[in-house]
Amino acid sequence: MRKLIYGMNLSLDGYIAAPGDDIGWSVPSDELFEFWSDQLQATELSLYGRRLWQTMSSYWPTGDQQPDATPAQIEFARRWRDMAKAVFSSTVDKVDWNTRLVTGDAVAEITRLKAEDGGPMDIGGATLAGAAMRAGLIDEYVLATAPVLVGGGTPFFAALDNWVNLNLVETRTLPGGVILTRYETRR
């Protein structure tokens, strides 16, 4: 059975984007960027909701060709472009860059993918991750908490019907006061 990991940068008050989908507060340090790049390399399949897919696919396919791209950004862009991805959407009609489109029941498809043999999967996008969270499908949460309060926007955690008990696996402080924490779901 595959492991499903949900991780993102978030504000101290729990948002992955401020009002208006503003993520300008979440510019990662080199160390945090390298952490996310290493996470990507260790992932066999990335699952995206439509909005996050549109954000990622608008930049990363050519991110390694930007004149100011750092070596870490170049490596991330190549890893992102080459890795297997699935986009869950009923409105997108075309995807590229080693990606397949899923238009049916997201929870059923994620459940099926988890049951397969293979390496870890990550999930991104608040709506998609929220559905997986409510279905009890997420095995690990990775939070890169920035020292900023944005006051509203898109929350990292979805409203839940039941508690989810977690075990702390890792915590570390990164440049800029970002606290990285990893939790495994207690089953």
Side-chain angles (χ1 to χ4, degrees):
M1 179 176 263
R2 289 174 153 174
K3 182 178 193 177
L4 182 60
I5 303 165
Y6 175 39
M8 295 186 81
N9 297 339
L10 66 149
S11 65
L12 184 59
D13 51 351
Y15 296 96
I16 59 175
D21 291 331
D22 182 356
I23 58 172
W25 54 269
S26 69
V27 177
S29 65
D30 289 342
E31 188 175 347
L32 179 56
F33 194 86
E34 288 173 16
F35 170 82
W36 287 125
S37 187
D38 290 346
Q39 288 286 109
L40 191 65
Q41 183 178 21
T43 301
E44 185 173 301
L45 176 63
S46 283
L47 312 177
Y48 287 98
R50 177 192 53 82
R51 287 191 334 185
L52 184 57
W53 163 255
Q54 289 173 327
T55 298
M56 296 294 283
S57 67
S58 71
Y59 182 81
W60 289 112
T62 59
D64 57 336
Q65 299 165 25
Q66 302 303 314
D68 59 345
T70 66
Q73 291 170 331
I74 290 168
E75 186 62 28
F76 184 90
R78 290 177 182 158
R79 288 175 180 169
W80 185 88
R81 194 174 44 239
D82 294 344
M83 77 174 309
K85 297 172 281 300
V87 175
F88 292 76
S89 176
S90 59
T91 58
V92 171
D93 57 6
K94 182 182 179 224
V95 293
D96 292 317
W97 308 289
N98 202 23
T99 306
R100 70 181 182 91
L101 181 61
V102 179
T103 58
D105 182 330
V107 170
E109 179 63 7
I110 295 167
T111 301
R112 185 190 72 73
L113 290 168
K114 274 193 64 147
E116 293 179 346
D117 290 331
M121 300 184 302
D122 67 18
I123 188 167
T127 303
L128 182 63
M133 208 180 298
R134 283 187 295 282
L137 296 173
I138 297 180
D139 301 298
E140 183 176 322
Y141 296 84
V142 180
L143 292 77
T145 307
V148 61
L149 302 172
V150 298
T154 305
F156 178 81
F157 290 106
L160 300 173
D161 301 322
N162 300 299
W163 292 4
V164 177
N165 293 308
L166 306 170
N167 292 320
L168 179 64
V169 176
E170 177 184 5
T171 183
R172 84 173 105 138
T173 303
L174 300 174
V178 171
I179 304 296
L180 179 70
T181 50
R182 291 181 40 237
Y183 297 90
E184 288 183 346
T185 301
R186 194 179 318 151
R187 303 223 188 259

